Amino acid sequence: MNLTNSNFQDIPWNDITSFGQKTMLGNPLFSVSWILGRFCNYNCSYCWPYARSNKVDHYDLDLYKKTIDEIKKQARQNGFIDFHFSFSGGEPTAYKDFLNLIEYYSSDIEPKYQSFHMTSNCSPGIKWWKRLVSKLSLLDRASVTASFHSEFANETEFSEKLLFLIENQVYVTVNQVMVPDRFYEYYDRCERFHKLGIPVTLKPQSNDTATEIVQGYTNEMIDIMQIGFPQHDKTNAVFQIELKDSNGNRYDFDQAERFNAFGFNKFKGWKCNSGYQSIIIRGNEVKRSYSCHDNSLGNLETGFKLFDNPRICITNSCVSSADSKVPKCKII
Ligand code: SF4
């Protein structure tokens, strides 16, 4: 096993007092993480029932367009004038109007900065990806987190699509959930992706309620997830996270996806910008974040209201990277 040494293990995790996604720290950027529905065209044996459905459960394009407009209106009232929208599912590319939705989002020329992200099984054919790339041309940044599912996908075709995206200035990461029983099989495949120049992030599997990571990892496996395939030496990848300790020292970190491998996911009592500088949408529901125990902020059909200030975290663990990347600071 050829692990590249990384200084991530030198970060004083117990002494971190503030952190967040760099694009959201000190920038007027509002972030939306949007689960369009649970429908997925794959049916992997290991998928949690809460994560997928056979039933198409998307809403009409008009409701989604109105939602984008309403989010932007309320975020602007809070002083956030730039936007990052991240789509997932289920499988977001299975939404029949997905390309029209992205076209609508990207055609707004008012923001100084707009970016797009999607988590996908990358099942559509290459023609679909060419059409997507053409819709992204007005945006400042586009990225795709790709999940490889061996029961349904072909490794060569999957790699070819990702290399096409990379050639077209889309930031790509293969996000591999490292199921303990199949850890080394997954590691070997990730190494093949990595050798092709495709960035890879390894992450621990969460339990069926997505509140903790599962048992069964050896110390070597934890080590591999903490420092395997660090993304600072890759041409199309960047350190996305900045952390500060109590002495004001700063640390760069590649992706919030890796926080759980360090057990860095307990922020109860911290001040958190979720609900104020970010929201999540799950189907019809609008919430502060996926992990949060706070009441929902409303829904797409009858309306929702963002917080007008950062609020204290009341939740024991913050395991989703969409939640943990949102700026937070410890109240000392
Ligand atoms: S659980 Fe919610 S409020 Fe708590 S830190 Fe995570 S995103 Fe913020």
Side-chain angles (χ1 to χ4, degrees), residues 30 33 58 85 136 145 152 155 173 180 186 188 208 250 278:
F30 191 89
S33 180
H58 304 124
F85 274 58
L136 301 176
T145 296
F152 289 87
E155 187 175 325
T173 306
Y186 290 179
D188 289 347
D208 58 357
R250 291 166 191 242
S278 70

PDB file of all heavy atoms in Angstrom, residues 30 33 58 85 136 145 152 155 173 180 186 188 208 250 278:
ATOM      1  N   PHE A  30     -23.966  32.241  -0.601  1.00  0.00           N
ATOM      2  CA  PHE A  30     -25.021  31.420  -0.010  1.00  0.00           C
ATOM      3  C   PHE A  30     -24.986  30.043  -0.678  1.00  0.00           C
ATOM      4  O   PHE A  30     -24.899  29.929  -1.897  1.00  0.00           O
ATOM      5  CB  PHE A  30     -26.381  32.076  -0.225  1.00  0.00           C
ATOM      6  CG  PHE A  30     -27.467  31.429   0.574  1.00  0.00           C
ATOM      7  CD1 PHE A  30     -27.745  31.857   1.861  1.00  0.00           C
ATOM      8  CD2 PHE A  30     -28.203  30.367   0.046  1.00  0.00           C
ATOM      9  CE1 PHE A  30     -28.741  31.239   2.617  1.00  0.00           C
ATOM     10  CE2 PHE A  30     -29.191  29.746   0.808  1.00  0.00           C
ATOM     11  CZ  PHE A  30     -29.457  30.189   2.088  1.00  0.00           C
ATOM     12  N   SER A  33     -27.876  22.965  -0.633  1.00  0.00           N
ATOM     13  CA  SER A  33     -27.664  21.548  -0.904  1.00  0.00           C
ATOM     14  C   SER A  33     -29.042  20.933  -1.120  1.00  0.00           C
ATOM     15  O   SER A  33     -29.883  20.958  -0.223  1.00  0.00           O
ATOM     16  CB  SER A  33     -26.947  20.914   0.284  1.00  0.00           C
ATOM     17  OG  SER A  33     -26.748  19.563   0.016  1.00  0.00           O
ATOM     18  N   HIS A  58     -39.956  13.596  -8.246  1.00  0.00           N
ATOM     19  CA  HIS A  58     -39.539  14.982  -8.478  1.00  0.00           C
ATOM     20  C   HIS A  58     -40.758  15.892  -8.633  1.00  0.00           C
ATOM     21  O   HIS A  58     -41.853  15.433  -8.942  1.00  0.00           O
ATOM     22  CB  HIS A  58     -38.674  15.060  -9.752  1.00  0.00           C
ATOM     23  CG  HIS A  58     -37.484  14.150  -9.700  1.00  0.00           C
ATOM     24  ND1 HIS A  58     -37.222  13.204 -10.652  1.00  0.00           N
ATOM     25  CD2 HIS A  58     -36.509  14.035  -8.770  1.00  0.00           C
ATOM     26  CE1 HIS A  58     -36.118  12.548 -10.341  1.00  0.00           C
ATOM     27  NE2 HIS A  58     -35.675  13.021  -9.190  1.00  0.00           N
ATOM     28  N   PHE A  85     -25.082  26.154  -5.693  1.00  0.00           N
ATOM     29  CA  PHE A  85     -26.160  25.168  -5.603  1.00  0.00           C
ATOM     30  C   PHE A  85     -25.566  23.792  -5.880  1.00  0.00           C
ATOM     31  O   PHE A  85     -24.867  23.593  -6.869  1.00  0.00           O
ATOM     32  CB  PHE A  85     -27.261  25.460  -6.631  1.00  0.00           C
ATOM     33  CG  PHE A  85     -28.302  26.434  -6.158  1.00  0.00           C
ATOM     34  CD1 PHE A  85     -27.951  27.716  -5.759  1.00  0.00           C
ATOM     35  CD2 PHE A  85     -29.642  26.071  -6.117  1.00  0.00           C
ATOM     36  CE1 PHE A  85     -28.912  28.623  -5.327  1.00  0.00           C
ATOM     37  CE2 PHE A  85     -30.611  26.971  -5.690  1.00  0.00           C
ATOM     38  CZ  PHE A  85     -30.251  28.250  -5.295  1.00  0.00           C
ATOM     39  N   LEU A 136     -23.145  24.762 -18.394  1.00  0.00           N
ATOM     40  CA  LEU A 136     -22.342  25.251 -17.271  1.00  0.00           C
ATOM     41  C   LEU A 136     -21.435  26.414 -17.660  1.00  0.00           C
ATOM     42  O   LEU A 136     -20.763  26.981 -16.800  1.00  0.00           O
ATOM     43  CB  LEU A 136     -21.466  24.114 -16.719  1.00  0.00           C
ATOM     44  CG  LEU A 136     -22.203  22.866 -16.221  1.00  0.00           C
ATOM     45  CD1 LEU A 136     -21.197  21.797 -15.807  1.00  0.00           C
ATOM     46  CD2 LEU A 136     -23.125  23.199 -15.057  1.00  0.00           C
ATOM     47  N   THR A 145     -19.194  15.305  -7.833  1.00  0.00           N
ATOM     48  CA  THR A 145     -18.725  14.207  -6.996  1.00  0.00           C
ATOM     49  C   THR A 145     -19.322  12.937  -7.585  1.00  0.00           C
ATOM     50  O   THR A 145     -20.548  12.811  -7.675  1.00  0.00           O
ATOM     51  CB  THR A 145     -19.177  14.399  -5.539  1.00  0.00           C
ATOM     52  OG1 THR A 145     -18.556  15.579  -5.034  1.00  0.00           O
ATOM     53  CG2 THR A 145     -18.772  13.220  -4.677  1.00  0.00           C
ATOM     54  N   PHE A 152     -23.667  -1.914 -11.092  1.00  0.00           N
ATOM     55  CA  PHE A 152     -24.376  -1.351 -12.250  1.00  0.00           C
ATOM     56  C   PHE A 152     -23.466  -0.656 -13.255  1.00  0.00           C
ATOM     57  O   PHE A 152     -23.811  -0.562 -14.427  1.00  0.00           O
ATOM     58  CB  PHE A 152     -25.443  -0.339 -11.774  1.00  0.00           C
ATOM     59  CG  PHE A 152     -26.604  -0.995 -11.105  1.00  0.00           C
ATOM     60  CD1 PHE A 152     -26.569  -1.277  -9.746  1.00  0.00           C
ATOM     61  CD2 PHE A 152     -27.728  -1.372 -11.831  1.00  0.00           C
ATOM     62  CE1 PHE A 152     -27.633  -1.916  -9.116  1.00  0.00           C
ATOM     63  CE2 PHE A 152     -28.789  -2.013 -11.225  1.00  0.00           C
ATOM     64  CZ  PHE A 152     -28.745  -2.286  -9.860  1.00  0.00           C
ATOM     65  N   GLU A 155     -16.404   0.269 -15.195  1.00  0.00           N
ATOM     66  CA  GLU A 155     -15.291   1.113 -14.717  1.00  0.00           C
ATOM     67  C   GLU A 155     -14.661   1.941 -15.838  1.00  0.00           C
ATOM     68  O   GLU A 155     -14.359   3.131 -15.658  1.00  0.00           O
ATOM     69  CB  GLU A 155     -14.236   0.218 -14.050  1.00  0.00           C
ATOM     70  CG  GLU A 155     -13.143   1.008 -13.382  1.00  0.00           C
ATOM     71  CD  GLU A 155     -12.164   0.113 -12.618  1.00  0.00           C
ATOM     72  OE1 GLU A 155     -12.588  -0.916 -12.043  1.00  0.00           O
ATOM     73  OE2 GLU A 155     -10.968   0.452 -12.609  1.00  0.00           O
ATOM     74  N   THR A 173     -14.383  14.653  -8.356  1.00  0.00           N
ATOM     75  CA  THR A 173     -13.827  13.792  -7.307  1.00  0.00           C
ATOM     76  C   THR A 173     -14.626  12.500  -7.267  1.00  0.00           C
ATOM     77  O   THR A 173     -15.862  12.542  -7.285  1.00  0.00           O
ATOM     78  CB  THR A 173     -13.967  14.447  -5.908  1.00  0.00           C
ATOM     79  OG1 THR A 173     -13.399  15.735  -5.951  1.00  0.00           O
ATOM     80  CG2 THR A 173     -13.265  13.626  -4.846  1.00  0.00           C
ATOM     81  N   PRO A 180     -16.432  -1.454   5.308  1.00  0.00           N
ATOM     82  CA  PRO A 180     -15.330  -2.204   5.931  1.00  0.00           C
ATOM     83  C   PRO A 180     -15.047  -3.558   5.279  1.00  0.00           C
ATOM     84  O   PRO A 180     -13.896  -3.901   5.025  1.00  0.00           O
ATOM     85  CB  PRO A 180     -15.781  -2.366   7.391  1.00  0.00           C
ATOM     86  CG  PRO A 180     -16.695  -1.217   7.633  1.00  0.00           C
ATOM     87  CD  PRO A 180     -17.386  -0.939   6.316  1.00  0.00           C
ATOM     88  N   TYR A 186     -12.164  -1.845  -2.807  1.00  0.00           N
ATOM     89  CA  TYR A 186     -12.482  -0.464  -3.169  1.00  0.00           C
ATOM     90  C   TYR A 186     -11.210   0.373  -3.275  1.00  0.00           C
ATOM     91  O   TYR A 186     -11.074   1.221  -4.146  1.00  0.00           O
ATOM     92  CB  TYR A 186     -13.426   0.176  -2.132  1.00  0.00           C
ATOM     93  CG  TYR A 186     -14.835  -0.375  -2.137  1.00  0.00           C
ATOM     94  CD1 TYR A 186     -15.783   0.114  -1.237  1.00  0.00           C
ATOM     95  CD2 TYR A 186     -15.237  -1.356  -3.031  1.00  0.00           C
ATOM     96  CE1 TYR A 186     -17.079  -0.369  -1.227  1.00  0.00           C
ATOM     97  CE2 TYR A 186     -16.531  -1.854  -3.025  1.00  0.00           C
ATOM     98  CZ  TYR A 186     -17.442  -1.359  -2.118  1.00  0.00           C
ATOM     99  OH  TYR A 186     -18.726  -1.844  -2.106  1.00  0.00           O
ATOM    100  N   ASP A 188      -8.230  -0.604  -4.149  1.00  0.00           N
ATOM    101  CA  ASP A 188      -7.509  -0.898  -5.398  1.00  0.00           C
ATOM    102  C   ASP A 188      -8.159  -0.183  -6.582  1.00  0.00           C
ATOM    103  O   ASP A 188      -7.483   0.360  -7.449  1.00  0.00           O
ATOM    104  CB  ASP A 188      -7.488  -2.416  -5.663  1.00  0.00           C
ATOM    105  CG  ASP A 188      -6.575  -3.133  -4.680  1.00  0.00           C
ATOM    106  OD1 ASP A 188      -5.795  -2.445  -3.981  1.00  0.00           O
ATOM    107  OD2 ASP A 188      -6.665  -4.369  -4.594  1.00  0.00           O
ATOM    108  N   ASP A 208     -27.205   3.471   9.588  1.00  0.00           N
ATOM    109  CA  ASP A 208     -28.464   3.583   8.842  1.00  0.00           C
ATOM    110  C   ASP A 208     -29.269   4.822   9.181  1.00  0.00           C
ATOM    111  O   ASP A 208     -30.250   5.127   8.504  1.00  0.00           O
ATOM    112  CB  ASP A 208     -29.317   2.308   9.004  1.00  0.00           C
ATOM    113  CG  ASP A 208     -29.624   2.004  10.448  1.00  0.00           C
ATOM    114  OD1 ASP A 208     -29.131   2.738  11.328  1.00  0.00           O
ATOM    115  OD2 ASP A 208     -30.350   1.033  10.706  1.00  0.00           O
ATOM    116  N   ARG A 250      -3.626  28.845  11.094  1.00  0.00           N
ATOM    117  CA  ARG A 250      -4.534  28.370  10.040  1.00  0.00           C
ATOM    118  C   ARG A 250      -4.050  27.052   9.452  1.00  0.00           C
ATOM    119  O   ARG A 250      -2.851  26.838   9.318  1.00  0.00           O
ATOM    120  CB  ARG A 250      -4.582  29.379   8.888  1.00  0.00           C
ATOM    121  CG  ARG A 250      -5.253  30.655   9.244  1.00  0.00           C
ATOM    122  CD  ARG A 250      -4.950  31.700   8.179  1.00  0.00           C
ATOM    123  NE  ARG A 250      -5.382  32.991   8.665  1.00  0.00           N
ATOM    124  CZ  ARG A 250      -6.320  33.730   8.090  1.00  0.00           C
ATOM    125  NH1 ARG A 250      -6.891  33.328   6.989  1.00  0.00           N
ATOM    126  NH2 ARG A 250      -6.676  34.888   8.614  1.00  0.00           N
ATOM    127  N   SER A 278     -26.773  29.066   4.478  1.00  0.00           N
ATOM    128  CA  SER A 278     -26.963  27.840   3.693  1.00  0.00           C
ATOM    129  C   SER A 278     -28.283  27.202   4.093  1.00  0.00           C
ATOM    130  O   SER A 278     -28.773  27.429   5.203  1.00  0.00           O
ATOM    131  CB  SER A 278     -25.818  26.854   3.978  1.00  0.00           C
ATOM    132  OG  SER A 278     -25.939  26.342   5.285  1.00  0.00           O
TER     133      SER A 278
END
